[in-house]
């Protein structure tokens, strides 16, 4: 604590001391990236870039999923209760992140499962998800479809797609009970990639 209060141990000073060329953060799909804007408008020349993290807007089991979609729609002026509007809202947010220096997206799913549904079937699945009358298989199928949709968007906007599936989150009951969600103690679980990624790679792997 004594050291961290000294100017030479401030984050920007350490960034310069260790000759860090670039540091990337992961940010919510609806983040205004205000801290990134503040850095860009400052006299400091360190390069810190955002990364698009849409998990809470893709996972139907996420806390307040439908409220998240409402916020996404309000921010992008898109109808996120429609399949086309929902996808376009992601495209617009990805573009904003890219304009702010982002070079990648980041996806932390329970598995690496992907799907490649027809437009009609994907639209129907999205409608089912919005109805909240879905089961665990429907939710997993939707997450899988959205990984493929994100991959297609990456082919269009050039953002590198990072997938880190299989994390078993909040593994420590003690820490979870004391501090709540996402305070560490994530442990990787066994994950299949070969079969799981095939639908995605069949769609975009040779682009």
């Amino acid at each position: 604590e004594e050291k961290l209060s000294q100017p030479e141990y401030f984050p920007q000073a350490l960034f310069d001391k260790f000759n860090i060329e670039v540091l990337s953060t992961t940010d919510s799909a609806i983040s205004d990236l205000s801290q990134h804007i503040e850095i860009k408008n400052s006299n400091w020349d360190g390069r810190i870039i955002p990364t698009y993290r849409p998990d809470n807007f893709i996972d139907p089991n996420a806390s307040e999923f439908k409220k998240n979609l409402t916020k996404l729609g309000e921010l992008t002026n898109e109808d996120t209760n429609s399949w086309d509007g929902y996808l376009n809202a992601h495209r617009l947010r990805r573009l904003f992140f890219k304009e702010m220096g982002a070079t990648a997206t980041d996806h932390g799913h329970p598995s690496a499962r992907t799907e490649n549904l027809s437009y009609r079937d994907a639209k129907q699945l999205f409608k089912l998800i919005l109805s909240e009358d879905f089961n665990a298989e429907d939710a997993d199928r939707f997450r899988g479809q959205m990984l493929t949709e994100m991959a297609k968007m990456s082919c269009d906007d050039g953002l590198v797609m990072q997938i880190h599936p299989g994390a078993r989150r909040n593994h420590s009951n003690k820490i979870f009970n004391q501090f709540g969600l996402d305070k560490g103690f994530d442990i990787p679980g066994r994950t299949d990639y070969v079969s799981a990624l095939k639908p995605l790679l069949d769609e975009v792997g040779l682009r």
Side-chain angles (χ1 to χ4, degrees):
E1 184 176 356
E2 179 185 347
K3 288 290 187 182
L4 291 176
S5 67
Q6 298 173 14
E8 60 267 34
Y9 285 91
F10 288 177
Q12 291 184 4
L14 290 174
F15 190 100
D16 294 334
K17 179 179 180 180
F18 288 111
N19 296 315
I20 298 172
E21 293 184 10
V22 61
L23 185 148
S24 179
T25 63
T26 54
D27 305 89
S28 166
I30 60 169
S31 172
D32 62 7
L33 302 182
S34 58
Q35 292 174 320
H36 288 272
I37 294 172
E38 184 178 338
I39 290 172
K40 287 185 71 171
N41 292 335
S42 72
N43 294 324
W44 185 57
D45 60 1
R47 186 180 176 214
I48 299 183
I49 60 176
T51 300
Y52 188 67
R53 182 73 179 267
D55 293 358
N56 288 337
F57 303 83
I58 284 176
D59 183 1
N61 293 324
S63 175
E64 299 186 334
F65 173 71
K66 290 193 72 175
K67 288 185 178 180
N68 292 341
L69 296 197
T70 299
K71 293 176 183 177
L72 182 64
E74 290 172 350
L75 190 61
T76 58
N77 292 318
E78 291 287 341
D79 177 12
T80 50
N81 286 316
S82 75
W83 178 236
D84 291 329
Y86 171 67
L87 292 181
N88 203 42
H90 280 291
R91 292 188 186 97
L92 291 172
R93 293 307 294 166
R94 290 168 64 106
L95 178 61
F96 170 67
F97 272 63
K98 188 173 180 179
E99 290 171 347
M100 290 300 300
T103 61
T105 66
D106 187 63
H107 309 269
H109 286 211
S111 74
R113 176 180 179 174
T114 62
E115 296 286 346
N116 190 19
L117 304 176
S118 67
Y119 172 81
R120 178 178 176 275
D121 288 345
K123 187 176 180 179
Q124 283 297 113
L125 178 58
F126 183 61
K127 184 178 180 180
L128 176 63
I129 295 299
L130 290 182
S131 75
E132 299 184 343
D133 186 26
F134 60 86
N135 56 34
E137 168 62 18
D138 297 326
D140 201 39
R141 195 175 183 218
F142 181 73
R143 288 189 292 264
Q145 179 63 26
M146 284 309 299
L147 280 181
T148 301
E149 297 295 343
M150 290 288 118
K152 289 190 285 188
M153 292 182 197
S154 281
C155 289
D156 294 333
D157 61 29
L159 294 178
V160 174
M161 184 179 186
Q162 303 173 99
I163 306 175
H164 56 97
R168 307 299 188 260
R169 303 192 183 281
N170 309 300
H171 198 271
S172 169
N173 287 336
K174 181 178 180 179
I175 296 300
F176 174 76
N177 291 334
Q178 185 174 354
F179 298 105
L181 289 167
D182 301 326
K183 297 301 183 292
F185 292 88
D186 297 346
I187 298 178
R190 179 176 294 180
T191 304
D192 167 60
Y193 291 96
V194 178
S195 300
L197 291 175
K198 192 175 190 307
L200 182 153
L201 294 174
D202 283 345
E203 175 65 20
V204 302
L206 298 179
R207 287 194 188 181

